[in-house]
Amino acid sequence: MITGDAAYIKKINRALIIKEIIKEGMISRADLSKATDLTRATISAQVADLLEEDLIVETQLEYTGVGRKPIMLSLNGQAGYALGIDIDYGRISFTLSDLLGNCITSSIQELSTTDYSEVLQVVIETIKQLKATYADSRYGIVGVVIAIHGLVGKDEIIHYVPRFKWHDIDLKSAIETECQMDVHLENNANLSAFAERIFVHHEANNLLSTTFHSGIGLGMMMKDDFFRGHDGFAGEIGHMIVVPDGKPCNCGNKGCWEKYASESSIFEYLSEEKKIPNLTYEHIQRMIDEGDAAVHKVMDRFIYYISIGINNLINMYNPDVLVLDSELLRIYPDSITKISNNLTSSISHYREITLSAMGKKSCVMGACALAIKKFLDVPILNLSYEISQQNKS
């Protein structure tokens, strides 16, 4: 039994009710009472508050039976909006979702600079424009979450962004002061993992999401929360050494995983081998389809090194689900089966390895979901994601 301050208990009950309403989509007061083990009186009082706050709405279903028509409760998705921002090298992605995680609008602004003050100005101007555009809803933009491709401490200070050469920057305070909004910063790989848990893998309490793009990032959800490590820097898995005394890495070590199993390493190698300066996924897809033996050999080697790292992750974390985000793995036939076949250790235990259905969109959608979670003040969310959202702009 929960005991303690009445206001605290009320807050816990509210979170339970909101979580269940979101999970079910539509639910009656009676079913809500059964699902949460709360009394009907408690449900009635809490629902009255949520209705008054416009956070939920009532819908009367068509009913041909005897007795009252059932009145269903659902979250009011249009009561407010969440803004996710992904600051990546060369571009900034902005996505606005409603409170149910449905994408309302997305845009990408190309970046020709890494200068902090210039990037800050672009972000502030866009936030202000969106804030003004959506000010008519009950709560407007409820929060902003920004994805950082680098080290973000538990204090939400940016400690280092390799490709921007940013060190010890308080981006959060700068934006909050200028825009008068609630802003949070999180590592991009963590947000990808969060999106996979919230939108796709609802039953995975322990989930790893690995991205294989310019480097290798690892987001970890353990017992439905981020695993950040002592200072918040956990997940720099790309710098796990897989080849002792191997290729030199910018981090100062040799033989780091991302020097062998990141997409950028494959692009760099094939671009030089094939004498194609601006190599694209389409080029590689064509060579795979044409049966280019050299490209198939490179891809098999890519999968071999991915498998080494995945084997280590499984043994370290024993996850329910591992989600791999790589366009190269998507275009190479049977890539997941080939990786799974390489995992031959009898002590490795996991439930599922899968390719991300959200792709690169997972980062910014994870940012939106985290803003929603913080606004609703719930322990976890189960939202739905339509694949068509990936192309919405």
Side-chain angles (χ1 to χ4, degrees):
M1 178 181 290
I2 299 172
T3 60
D5 180 79
Y8 177 65
I9 294 173
K10 183 177 180 180
K11 179 181 176 181
I12 291 174
N13 291 342
R14 177 187 172 97
L16 282 172
I17 290 168
I18 293 174
K19 177 187 172 185
E20 198 64 31
I21 290 172
I22 294 172
K23 177 185 174 183
E24 296 300 324
M26 296 182 75
I27 189 170
S28 68
R29 287 170 172 80
D31 287 339
L32 197 52
S33 177
K34 293 175 185 175
T36 59
D37 285 330
L38 297 174
T39 66
R40 293 199 176 194
T42 298
I43 294 293
S44 180
Q46 290 272 5
V47 164
D49 289 343
L50 292 170
L51 285 169
E52 186 176 348
E53 295 168 29
D54 285 338
L55 282 177
I56 63 173
V57 292
E58 292 180 317
T59 303
Q60 195 164 54
L61 297 183
E62 291 296 325
Y63 184 62
T64 56
V66 177
R68 292 183 180 179
K69 293 181 180 180
I71 297 176
M72 309 298 284
L73 306 169
S74 57
L75 190 75
N76 181 8
Q78 285 71 51
Y81 301 91
L83 178 57
I85 302 174
D86 180 11
I87 302 179
D88 200 356
Y89 184 77
R91 62 188 231 167
I92 307 177
S93 301
F94 298 87
T95 292
L96 193 81
S97 80
D98 64 18
L99 295 185
L100 289 169
N102 299 309
C103 178
I104 302 301
T105 182
S106 288
S107 65
I108 294 175
Q109 294 200 29
E110 302 298 329
L111 277 181
S112 57
T113 180
T114 59
D115 180 75
Y116 169 68
S117 60
E118 293 182 44
V119 174
L120 174 63
Q121 197 56 41
V122 171
V123 172
I124 287 174
E125 287 177 3
T126 305
I127 290 175
K128 286 184 174 180
Q129 289 169 6
L130 290 168
K131 183 180 180 181
T133 301
Y134 292 90
D136 289 342
S137 64
R138 172 70 183 262
Y139 296 99
I141 296 179
V142 301
V144 179
V145 172
I146 302 176
I148 302 297
H149 293 243
L151 299 179
V152 181
K154 291 180 179 177
D155 55 5
E156 298 188 68
I157 300 292
I158 299 174
H159 288 269
Y160 182 50
V161 180
R163 302 194 74 181
F164 285 77
K165 305 300 181 186
W166 290 355
H167 294 269
D168 301 321
I169 290 174
D170 191 359
L171 179 67
K172 170 185 167 72
S173 293
I175 297 175
E176 285 184 333
T177 300
E178 187 68 28
C179 299
Q180 295 298 296
M181 297 186 70
D182 189 25
V183 177
H184 294 279
L185 270 58
E186 187 56 76
N187 173 266
N188 65 299
N190 278 348
L191 289 174
S192 289
F194 191 68
E196 296 290 348
R197 166 61 184 85
I198 298 303
F199 288 103
V200 183
H201 301 280
H202 294 157
E203 304 306 317
N205 294 326
N206 298 286
L207 178 147
L208 303 181
S209 173
T210 311
T211 56
F212 296 89
H213 304 307
S214 57
I216 299 179
L218 174 68
M220 295 174 280
M221 295 292 297
M222 297 294 171
K223 296 183 179 178
D224 286 336
D225 200 1
F226 293 119
F227 179 82
R228 292 190 174 92
H230 177 66
D231 292 315
F233 301 156
E236 291 300 314
I237 202 67
H239 299 288
M240 168 178 60
I241 294 173
V242 296
V243 180
D245 205 29
K247 298 177 183 178
C249 180
N250 292 334
C251 77
N253 283 329
K254 293 181 179 180
C256 290
W257 193 25
E258 67 179 41
K259 300 303 292 183
Y260 298 86
S262 65
E263 290 190 346
S264 59
S265 68
I266 302 303
F267 272 89
E268 182 180 348
Y269 178 80
L270 284 178
S271 181
E272 185 175 334
E273 283 293 304
K274 296 295 183 179
K275 303 295 188 291
I276 304 175
N278 297 308
L279 190 69
T280 65
Y281 290 110
E282 289 73 20
H283 287 127
I284 297 177
Q285 175 80 73
R286 192 179 311 119
M287 289 184 279
I288 290 172
D289 293 343
E290 291 171 353
D292 188 310
V295 173
H296 277 265
K297 184 176 180 180
V298 169
M299 289 299 298
D300 286 338
R301 198 71 176 164
F302 175 53
I303 282 176
Y304 168 75
Y305 281 115
I306 284 179
S307 303
I308 290 175
I310 294 300
N311 177 78
N312 294 341
L313 290 178
I314 290 170
N315 288 331
M316 282 189 285
Y317 295 107
N318 182 214
D320 294 338
V321 176
L322 294 98
V323 182
L324 312 184
D325 184 13
S326 164
E327 191 61 30
L328 288 180
L329 291 180
R330 285 190 189 88
I331 66 179
Y332 196 53
D334 301 320
S335 59
I336 293 298
T337 300
K338 291 173 181 176
I339 291 171
S340 297
N341 289 341
N342 286 336
L343 303 175
T344 56
S345 172
S346 61
I347 63 171
S348 295
H349 293 279
Y350 61 94
R351 182 162 58 81
E352 180 184 4
I353 297 179
T354 183
L355 282 173
S356 172
M358 303 181 74
K360 291 184 178 180
K361 194 75 173 175
S362 64
C363 176
V364 74
M365 289 306 299
C368 289
L370 186 57
I372 295 169
K373 176 183 179 294
K374 288 180 178 295
F375 171 68
L376 295 177
D377 197 15
V378 293
I380 198 67
L381 293 167
N382 284 344
L383 302 175
S384 61
Y385 181 78
E386 298 294 334
I387 300 301
S388 58
Q389 286 194 50
Q390 293 195 62
N391 302 316
K392 186 162 186 176
S393 60

